[in-house]
Amino acid sequence: MRSDQKSFMPRTILLLSDDETVAHHIESALASFCLTHHIEYHENFHSFHQSLIGSSLQSASTVQVDLILIAYVDDEEKTHETLSDLRLLPRWKLVPSVIFLSREDPSFTRMLYHLGANTVLKYPLRFDALQQLISTMDAYWFNTVTLPDSDEE
């Protein structure tokens, strides 16, 4: 392997969406590029937090999440609420968040960036466009950007 190529390292992605079809499409788009990340899918952040409490992990501080995908593509209110909830807890402020929206709204997008979103993307209508978007997003967040370690809280 050339020194400028990185080997694939599976990451943990928290996918928040109340639309199972959207979640399935995102997971399928990742899988189509053999990106076998661990996808932790939940309908909302509260459900994710409850799963941590009920699991053998005991606390949210022991979980390494590398990227949060918020895909309430047609629900701006839920998107806003979820991002606000994430940014209230110091542990989740370090984790990059990518937001998918179905339509472009510059003022809403600006507000999401002010709340701490790292990337806001228009959710594509065609699956092949979603595959390309997911591939680009994966390469950017996991090959280009240096993410903090879990113990850098």
Side-chain angles (χ1 to χ4, degrees):
M1 177 173 20
R2 291 182 2 214
S3 62
D4 61 336
Q5 289 182 330
K6 293 183 181 181
S7 63
F8 177 77
M9 185 170 101
R11 304 295 187 136
T12 299
I13 298 173
L14 173 58
L15 172 57
L16 301 173
S17 179
D18 57 0
D19 186 330
E20 288 184 28
T21 302
V22 168
H24 175 72
H25 285 164
I26 290 171
E27 289 180 282
S28 296
L30 282 162
S32 69
F33 288 101
C34 296
L35 301 173
T36 54
H37 299 301
H38 172 69
I39 308 294
E40 184 75 32
Y41 167 62
H42 291 274
E43 288 189 9
N44 56 55
F45 185 65
H46 178 72
S47 168
F48 170 64
H49 236 252
Q50 287 302 111
S51 76
L52 295 178
I53 294 169
S55 75
S56 61
L57 298 173
Q58 299 300 319
S59 79
S61 64
T62 62
V63 174
Q64 171 67 30
V65 173
D66 299 297
L67 187 69
I68 299 171
L69 302 181
I70 301 173
Y72 302 114
V73 295
D74 292 317
D75 192 338
E76 290 182 354
E77 184 177 325
K78 192 170 233 176
T79 298
H80 177 269
E81 177 183 305
T82 300
L83 186 59
S84 295
D85 288 348
L86 283 168
R87 297 310 182 214
L88 287 176
L89 302 169
R91 163 64 180 102
W92 303 111
K93 284 182 181 182
L94 291 177
V95 181
S97 58
V98 175
I99 313 267
F100 289 102
L101 298 174
S102 62
R103 64 185 186 90
E104 293 181 26
D105 178 346
S107 62
F108 184 65
T109 299
R110 188 176 308 108
M111 187 262 311
L112 291 173
Y113 281 115
H114 283 289
L115 282 174
N118 299 97
T119 305
V120 178
L121 302 169
K122 185 171 186 219
Y123 190 80
L125 296 175
R126 295 184 350 260
F127 184 70
D128 62 328
L130 177 62
Q131 286 177 305
Q132 186 57 48
L133 185 65
I134 291 291
S135 174
T136 302
M137 180 198 73
D138 185 89
Y140 177 75
W141 283 109
F142 299 135
N143 295 337
T144 305
V145 173
T146 301
L147 295 173
D149 290 332
S150 61
D151 60 352
E152 290 184 18
E153 295 180 33

